[in-house]
Amino acid sequence: MLNLRQLEILRAVVQYRTTVGAAERLGMSQPSISNTIRHIETVLGFPLFERVSNRLSPTEEALILLEESEPLFLLRDAVNQRAADLRMGRIGRIRIASTAELSEAVLPRVIADYAREFPRIQISLETRPLDSVLQVVENSVADVAFALSPFERQALDYELIDELRPVVLCDESDPLAKLEVVNPKDLAERPMVGPQVANRIGLMLADSFRARGQDYRPTIETRFMNAAARIVRDGWGVALVDELSAFTAMRPGLVIRPYGPEMHFDLCAAISRTKPPSRQTQRFIKAFRERVAIRLAEVRAESLRPLQG
């Protein structure tokens, strides 16, 4: 019988005790307020106010109506606040997929900083192999995926974040540590751990070896480059990996050296071609890009640092 606007007018008149005050509060004319109150009383069949000394005193029936309608106003205010939060980007969700290298090297810091700044944003992170990472974005299970040198996919658009270089991670006592640049020939017959040839990065490295007349034959193959770097961190061999994975595995006694052949791995954000990214997703990609730039500046300074002694 009554709509929310009519109840809002009744509420304002009860609060200010005059139709003039209610009109000013709601930005309406005084006659409109009076006409609405009369209409409500006609519909309900009982008076809502009594005039006492030029002021309107609500009847018991009016007070009961307002008490019953208060949850509606609370719900409306909550909806309005939620809409404002959405408009300002203070609430929402971001579903992220990533390969293991980036889940270890960059994303933890980005997610932690983002969660501190936007505590009401729900964030999820799935760590998967490359094909699966891209598939979850295609299937709308994730909003964005971060990956290295992904294959072209018809349903995806790629936003280039940066270009990562391959580097060699080794002990500072290793002869490779004294080289300004490490070439495939320098790695021949060495106890090396690196990406398996069955994946995209491994194939790219194998091609770079072949171009220099060498065979790419890691003694230990890994699916993810962060795992390769961790093996060297724990005291075995040398690793040929991306620079972010190498830097994440650094400890005292290890050094990073540039890899000789000119090549790079495209670090990309993958998003759906048919579904535009939300503002939250766009903002997260921007934060990811900024963190990558900071980390790459650190690792490149480290790789150019001369060996002491």
Side-chain angles (χ1 to χ4, degrees):
M1 297 174 67
L2 300 179
N3 58 44
L4 188 59
R5 183 58 170 171
Q6 291 170 330
L7 289 171
E8 185 177 38
I9 291 170
L10 172 60
R11 188 190 196 199
V13 176
V14 170
Q15 180 179 359
Y16 291 96
R17 294 298 198 267
T18 68
T19 55
V20 173
E24 292 177 355
R25 169 67 179 82
L26 298 176
M28 299 173 61
S29 68
Q30 186 274 335
S32 295
I33 297 291
S34 298
N35 290 337
T36 299
I37 294 299
R38 285 195 294 268
H39 175 74
I40 295 173
E41 290 178 328
T42 299
V43 170
L44 295 177
F46 53 80
L48 296 171
F49 295 94
E50 296 176 355
R51 185 169 293 277
V52 178
S53 300
N54 293 323
R55 294 181 67 81
L56 296 175
S57 177
T59 63
E60 184 66 20
E61 291 82 357
L63 295 176
I64 291 173
L65 277 177
L66 284 184
E67 182 179 355
E68 292 295 327
S69 63
E70 193 60 29
L72 294 176
F73 292 111
L74 294 175
L75 179 60
R76 181 201 59 184
D77 293 343
V79 171
N80 287 339
Q81 182 62 54
R82 181 59 59 94
D85 288 341
L86 288 169
R87 184 173 64 252
M88 299 299 294
R90 291 191 292 260
I91 62 173
R93 70 176 183 181
I94 308 173
R95 299 169 299 173
I96 305 158
S98 172
T99 54
E101 297 91 349
L102 303 174
S103 287
E104 181 176 2
V106 185
L107 281 167
R109 179 63 180 273
V110 180
I111 291 173
D113 289 347
Y114 202 91
R116 275 190 291 268
E117 186 174 358
F118 305 102
R120 297 175 66 189
I121 301 297
Q122 181 184 8
I123 302 173
S124 64
L125 172 63
E126 285 274 352
T127 300
R128 297 167 174 252
L130 178 59
D131 284 344
S132 181
V133 159
L134 301 178
Q135 188 174 32
V136 293
V137 178
E138 288 180 325
N139 296 339
S140 297
V141 176
D143 302 305
V144 60
F146 297 103
L148 293 175
S149 297
F151 292 99
E152 289 296 322
R153 307 278 283 232
Q154 187 174 2
L156 297 179
D157 283 328
Y158 293 119
E159 183 176 332
L160 180 65
I161 301 296
D162 216 313
E163 295 176 348
L164 304 190
R165 306 166 188 167
V167 296
V168 172
L169 179 68
C170 63
D171 190 272
E172 64 184 6
S173 64
D174 192 291
L176 297 179
K178 298 178 174 59
L179 301 178
E180 291 187 3
V181 176
V182 178
N183 287 295
K185 185 177 180 180
D186 302 316
L187 295 169
E189 308 303 325
R190 296 302 308 274
M192 185 177 72
V193 53
Q196 57 190 215
V197 182
N199 66 36
R200 181 83 182 272
I201 300 296
L203 285 172
M204 294 172 68
L205 291 173
D207 287 343
S208 73
F209 269 65
R210 193 175 301 110
R212 299 292 181 95
Q214 301 293 325
D215 290 331
Y216 175 72
R217 293 178 179 174
T219 310
I220 299 175
E221 292 186 324
T222 63
R223 177 188 289 271
F224 298 112
M225 287 182 284
N226 59 321
R230 290 287 175 179
I231 292 172
V232 175
R233 178 186 174 90
D234 285 342
W236 188 91
V238 300
L240 179 57
V241 293
D242 71 279
E243 49 195 326
L244 289 180
S245 294
F247 191 69
T248 303
M250 282 293 289
R251 60 163 171 79
L254 293 182
V255 295
I256 295 173
R257 286 294 172 259
Y259 179 62
E262 286 292 328
M263 61 180 299
H264 64 266
F265 312 131
D266 288 340
L267 171 52
C268 298
I271 56 177
S272 171
R273 184 165 291 176
T274 59
K275 180 182 177 183
S278 69
R279 288 182 297 166
Q280 289 293 348
T281 301
Q282 292 172 345
R283 187 162 57 191
F284 189 90
I285 293 172
K286 180 175 181 292
F288 181 85
R289 183 191 304 278
E290 292 170 353
R291 174 50 51 183
V292 167
I294 292 171
R295 183 54 61 92
L296 286 180
E298 294 171 342
V299 66
R300 288 169 183 174
E302 175 67 27
S303 67
L304 295 175
R305 180 177 62 85
L307 184 64
Q308 299 301 317

